[in-house]
Every structure is written in C-alpha cells, then in structure tokens.
C-alpha cells in the first residue's frame, strides 16, 4: 500500500474527521476507514461490498470500465495466448514469471502431487451416485484436512507451500473422480507423462477398457479455460476463502468454503446455467422473447453469462473464450452447432438493445465456456467443478498473500441493526 499524506475530511454534526487516502499503483484511490468507529463512533454501510476494499493485494488488477485484467501486471490476453496454466499458477503464487529451470521444477512438483490418498477413494464411495460433482468436491476438499496432516499448520511457511502445491495438483484428480463417480465408471489414476490439461481430460474420459488419446488442440483449449479462470481478485469465492482463513482455519477447509461459494448461479454456477438457458432458447427466433423476459422487472429471469459486478465493458476473458469456441467447434467439425449459433445471435441482440447498453451488461467469461466444454464431452454438471479447479490457484495465492500482511486480522463486518430493541420476555401462557 502506498501511504500518502492526503486525507479526506468527513463531517458529522459539528465534528470533522480526517480519513487517510491511499494511492494504489493502479485504480481509484482508497479511503482508509479503519479507525473511523474508534474515532467517530459510526460504521459504514456497504452491503455487497460495492465500494469497499477488504484488503491490499499485488496479485490481480481489473479495470472494469476499460475491460482490463492483469495478473501480476501481465494482460490476460498475453497469458492466454503465450503462456500456459501452470506457468500462470507459478506467476500467481510467486509473483514473477519463472525461468525455464524454475518452471520445470514447479511442473515436476505439481505432477508428483496429483495422486490422492488411496483411502479417499472410500470416502468418495459414501456419496450417492446422483450427487452433483460440486457437492462431492465441497466434501472431499474439506476432507483433505483429514488426510494431509503434514500441511495444515498454517504458521509454518513450508507447510503452507506444500498445501498450495497439493491443492493445485490434486484438484483435477478430485474433479475427475467426482465425474467418474457420478457416471458409475472406475476412477482413472493420473499419469506423470502428461501435462496438466491432458491429464485432466484423460482422467475424465479414459476407461480401463479403452485409453483416451488426448487431442493436443483440445488439451490447449482446456488449458486456456483453466488460465482464463485462474484468478479474479476479490470476487465472492475469493473473499470467502480470505474470510474463512482469517480465523486461522486450515487451507483445505478454506478452499472448500470457496468451492461452496462458487457453486451459486450468480458466480461459478453461471456457466452451467448459461448453457441450460441457451438450450432452452433453442434457436435464434426465440431470442426476442427471452430478451423481453430479461428486461421485465417482474420476471426473475436474467440472461446468464451476461453482466458483471466489475466489468462495465467487455470481459476480456469472454473475447478469448469466444475465439476458442470457434476453434474447438471447427476442430470437432461441429461449427454449425445450433447452441453456438443461438449464443452468437443472443449476444448480438443483447448488445444492440438499449437496456443492456444502458446498464453496461456485456457477455462475461461464462457465456462461451459452456459451449466449449460441452463440445469436449463434459456434461453441464461438470462446468462449475472445472471453474473450481481452475480458480484454486487464485484462491490459494490470495490465501498465501494474506499471511504476508502484518495488518491481517480476523474478518468481522459490522451491521446496520433494524430489529427490535430490548424487550421483556413473555411467558408462553401469556402470548
Ligand atoms: N440480465 C438482465 N438484467 C441484468 C443482468 C442480466 N444478466 N445482470 C444485471 N442486470 C440488471 C439488474 O436487473 C439491475 O437492473 P436495475 O438497476 O434496473 O435493478 C442492473 O442490471 C444491475 O444488476 P445488479 O444485480 O445490481 O448487478 P450486480 O453487480 O450485483 O450483479 C451479476 C452482477 C454478475 C451477479 C449479474 O450481472 C448477474 O446476475 N448476471 C447473470 C449471472 C452471471 O452470468 N454470472 C457470472 C458472472 S462472471 C463469472 C463469475 O464471477 O463467477
């Protein structure tokens, strides 16, 4: 944080209070209200944290008006085009692009942590077969704290590092196992000669009777989906991980909390909801009806994959995702896919509609990702688990960063209380 001498003055009645102003390296200035209650006896009120910075961070920067997303200063388009997921993981975790030797070492470490404790297989078998894979992931990732005791001491930096490697490495295995379990197929063990994305595809689609030959173009598209979801500063699930960790909870419990938050349709669940919506729309001629419903205040329907709390311009991830959708569908020979045609027509219709223009609603990362994932062979229920495995590195990087902040405290928001004031208890016979 850049400390400045500048202050803003808050006047309440006849008293004035000086609030320090911090200047970030990019983005709007930040008013420091940490001492406000002690000095002025008032709280601030900001449900949904629309104007509140909950921490300082050096990991990810978003300029929502310009459609900019930087990880450690590097634009997402460069990372998605020139880098690959594990290099981006290193960048997020350690703050700089690795040398060739560092990257090789990191990839080796992650690869050698991909297997899960054999006893976890039994744990999976406790779930019903029709469980949503996200329900399984919340449970299994939380349960990692019962399997990996040597990486739960958060006061030990080495244990924190091992936990972060384990989480990045094992999450694809856990997501693939959740999928295999729900379709009644045997688990497929990871293989050390495959890269991260290829390994995940194989663990999802190979069966003992027949191996799965990984198509390098699909593996590249998978890797790009991982990269585009890797981190997104203080979104709901990341803030959940930070808040859970602020109490000193172990890393696996904190990431399980993040997965639970991501599941909701306003967040990571939007990719599943978006594809289901596109299928329901069915074909371009039905679009006007759905646009009208999205605009109707009395109808709870929203265009899924549209709008964002921070982006009031194109989500830069959506631009890359759209290109990827074209490439993958062409490769698979399904470029005339009716869902893609509906998506493109819907995007065009919404962007031309004054309602969406005035509210600055643009396609977000989830608008095209589901189309790619379905073309690859994933059912909709796997879309959010794939988001969760991709975002794990972001959660864990933010979790790790929190420990380096000497000012870090347990998170404890205040409230605007509107309930009853103290009243006398009425005995049941008198009510
Ligand atoms: N369709 C129709 N109207 C919308 C939409 C939409 N998708 N999104 C926002 N609006 C309207 C909303 O009704 C409100 O109108 P008014 O001002 O008249 O009340 C206005 O736009 C502002 O919406 P908001 O809900 O106050 O904005 P928010 O910042 O709280 O919500 C959002 C952001 C992403 C939850 C919301 O845009 C939404 O529900 N989108 C659909 C779900 C979705 O695609 N989520 C994925 C987000 S990107 C990936 C991720 O973060 O996980």
């Amino acid at each position: 944080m850049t400390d400045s001498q500048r202050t803003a003055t808050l006047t309440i009645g006849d008293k004035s209070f000086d609030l320090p102003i911090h200047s970030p390296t990019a983005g709007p200035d930040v008013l420091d209200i940490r001492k406000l209650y002690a000095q002025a006896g008032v709280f601030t009120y900001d449900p949904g944290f629309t104007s509140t910075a909950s921490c300082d961070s050096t990991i990810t920067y978003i300029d929502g008006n310009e459609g900019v997303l930087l990880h450690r200063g590097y634009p997402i388009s460069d990372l998605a085009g020139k880098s690959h997921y594990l290099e981006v993981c290193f960048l997020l975790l350690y703050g700089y692009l690795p040398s060739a030797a560092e990257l090789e070492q990191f990839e080796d470490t992650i690869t050698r942590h991909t297997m899960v404790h054999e006893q976890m297989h039994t744990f999976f078998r406790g779930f019903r077969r029709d469980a949503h894979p996200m329900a399984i992931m919340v449970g299994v990732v939380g349960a990692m704290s019962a399997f990996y005791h040597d990486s739960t001491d958060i006061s030990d930096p080495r244990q924190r590092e091992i936990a972060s490697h384990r989480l990045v490495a094992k999450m694809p295995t856990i997501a693939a196992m959740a999928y295999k379990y729900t379709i009644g197929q045997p688990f497929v063990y990871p293989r050390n000669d495959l890269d991260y994305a290829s390994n995940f595809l194989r663990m999802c689609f190979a069966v003992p009777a027949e191996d799965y030959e990984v198509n390098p173009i699909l593996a590249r598209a998978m890797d790009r989906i991982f990269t585009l979801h890797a981190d997104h500063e203080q979104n709901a699930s990341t803030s959940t991980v930070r808040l859970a960790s602020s109490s000193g909870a172990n890393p696996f419990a904190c990431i399980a909390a993040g997965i639970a938050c991501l599941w909701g349709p306003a967040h990571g669940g939007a990719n599943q909801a978006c594809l289901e919506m596109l299928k329901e729309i069915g074909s371009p001629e039905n679009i006007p009806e759905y646009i009208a419903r999205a605009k109707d205040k009395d109808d709870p329907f929203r265009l899924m994959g549209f709008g964002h709390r921070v982006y009031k311009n194109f989500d830069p991830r959506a631009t890359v995702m759209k290109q990827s959708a074209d490439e993958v569908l062409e490769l698979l020979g399904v470029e005339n896919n009716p869902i893609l045609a509906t998506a493109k027509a819907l995007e065009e219709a919404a962007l031309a509609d004054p309602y969406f223009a005035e509210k600055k609603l643009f396609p977000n990362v989830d608008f095209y990702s589901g189309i790619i994932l379905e073309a690859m062979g994933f059912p909709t229920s796997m879309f959010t688990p794939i988001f969760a495995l991709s975002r794990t590195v972001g959660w864990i990087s933010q979790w790790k960063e929190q420990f380096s902040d000497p000012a870090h405290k347990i998170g404890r928001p205040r409230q605007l209380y509107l309930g009853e004031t103290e009243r006398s208890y009425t005995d049941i016979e008198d009510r």
Side-chain angles (χ1 to χ4, degrees):
M1 193 180 339
T2 320
D3 261 330
S4 83
Q5 300 302 314
R6 290 182 304 141
T7 55
T9 305
L10 172 73
T11 304
I12 304 175
D14 58 356
K15 289 201 178 133
S16 291
F17 307 91
D18 286 337
L19 303 173
I21 302 177
H22 298 298
S23 308
T25 49
D29 286 345
V30 173
L31 291 184
D32 186 338
I33 56 161
R34 278 178 293 179
K35 298 205 171 104
L36 184 65
Y37 178 56
Q39 290 174 348
V42 294
F43 299 145
T44 56
Y45 181 60
D46 185 19
F49 304 111
T50 54
S51 303
T52 298
S54 59
C55 60
D56 51 272
S57 181
T58 60
I59 301 175
T60 293
Y61 173 70
I62 302 173
D63 182 337
N65 292 323
E66 297 299 324
V68 169
L69 168 60
L70 310 176
H71 292 319
R72 305 285 192 185
Y74 298 102
I76 189 65
S77 53
D78 281 358
L79 295 173
K82 299 177 188 171
S83 183
H84 61 90
Y85 183 67
L86 280 189
E87 185 176 67
V88 173
C89 288
F90 185 101
L91 175 69
L92 290 169
L93 282 166
Y94 299 105
Y96 62 96
L97 286 172
S99 67
E102 284 172 319
L103 182 58
E104 194 183 327
Q105 168 72 52
F106 181 68
E107 287 179 336
D108 187 62
T109 303
I110 297 300
T111 305
R112 284 171 197 289
H113 274 298
T114 47
M115 274 173 64
V116 297
H117 193 292
E118 196 64 13
Q119 187 69 20
M120 283 184 103
H121 290 219
T122 318
F123 189 81
F124 270 86
R125 293 187 205 288
F127 287 95
R128 278 171 56 138
R129 292 275 177 187
D130 61 356
H132 193 288
M134 282 298 276
I136 298 181
M137 285 185 77
V138 172
V140 171
V141 174
M144 283 175 80
S145 19
F147 287 92
Y148 300 103
H149 297 292
D150 60 341
S151 52
T152 53
D153 178 359
I154 54 163
S155 64
D156 178 348
R158 180 62 189 140
Q159 291 206 25
R160 294 205 298 264
E161 183 162 48
I162 295 173
S164 64
H165 291 162
R166 281 194 169 131
L167 279 157
V168 171
K170 296 187 199 307
M171 206 57 95
T173 314
I174 292 170
M177 287 170 79
Y179 173 51
K180 287 298 201 191
Y181 186 74
T182 57
I183 56 168
Q185 289 185 2
F187 299 135
V188 175
Y189 287 87
R191 258 190 24 202
N192 287 357
D193 59 336
L194 292 178
D195 63 72
Y196 194 85
S198 304
N199 215 358
F200 176 63
L201 287 170
R202 187 179 163 278
M203 286 190 288
C204 288
F205 297 124
V207 286
E210 191 176 307
D211 205 0
Y212 172 79
E213 206 166 309
V214 183
N215 179 322
I217 298 179
L218 289 190
R220 178 77 191 113
M222 188 78 256
D223 188 88
R224 196 174 282 159
I225 287 178
F226 293 160
T227 302
L228 291 174
H229 288 92
D231 190 50
H232 214 225
E233 52 115 309
Q234 309 312 320
N235 56 82
S237 56
T238 303
S239 297
T240 300
V241 170
R242 280 189 180 255
L243 194 57
S245 125
S246 75
S247 72
N250 76 67
F252 306 112
C254 297
I255 300 304
I259 296 172
C261 176
L262 186 80
W263 195 358
H267 194 6
N271 49 18
Q272 172 170 352
C274 180
L275 197 84
E276 284 162 357
M277 173 195 75
L278 291 170
K279 285 183 174 170
E280 189 185 309
I281 296 175
S283 71
E285 67 266 20
N286 298 328
I287 287 172
E289 178 197 333
Y290 284 85
I291 296 254
R293 284 187 60 196
K295 289 160 43 175
D296 181 355
K297 281 266 152 269
D298 299 325
D299 188 331
F301 174 77
R302 284 188 167 197
L303 278 196
M304 300 314 286
F306 251 80
H308 199 274
R309 168 63 61 78
V310 181
Y311 293 118
K312 301 301 168 198
N313 198 326
F314 266 91
D315 178 340
R317 302 168 299 172
T319 315
V320 182
M321 205 65 94
K322 187 178 180 180
Q323 282 166 8
S324 223
D326 280 330
E327 282 166 25
V328 170
L329 267 57
E330 193 186 328
L331 169 86
L332 297 174
V334 284
E335 60 269 44
N336 296 325
N337 177 308
I339 305 171
L340 183 64
T342 305
K344 286 187 175 173
L346 179 61
E347 178 185 356
E348 203 179 314
L351 291 177
D353 191 296
Y355 172 93
F356 292 88
E358 276 157 25
K359 295 189 187 302
K360 300 187 175 159
L361 301 169
F362 292 88
N364 60 47
V365 68
D366 291 325
F367 194 68
Y368 284 102
S369 63
I371 296 172
I372 307 178
L373 292 172
E374 187 178 70
M376 282 176 168
F378 289 103
T380 48
S381 61
M382 276 304 286
F383 295 179
T384 316
I386 289 170
F387 191 159
L389 89 82
S390 320
R391 181 56 57 84
T392 295
V393 71
W395 291 329
I396 207 77
S397 303
Q398 304 265 352
W399 171 84
K400 195 166 159 253
E401 182 178 69
Q402 194 165 319
F403 289 96
S404 60
D405 177 2
H408 133 242
K409 290 168 168 258
I410 186 165
R412 190 8 177 133
R414 308 306 289 248
Q415 64 173 3
L416 168 62
Y417 178 68
L418 297 174
E420 299 286 349
T421 53
E422 186 171 331
R423 49 182 169 164
S424 304
Y425 179 80
T426 314
D427 291 330
I428 195 156
E429 58 275 15
D430 299 332
R431 284 177 224 157

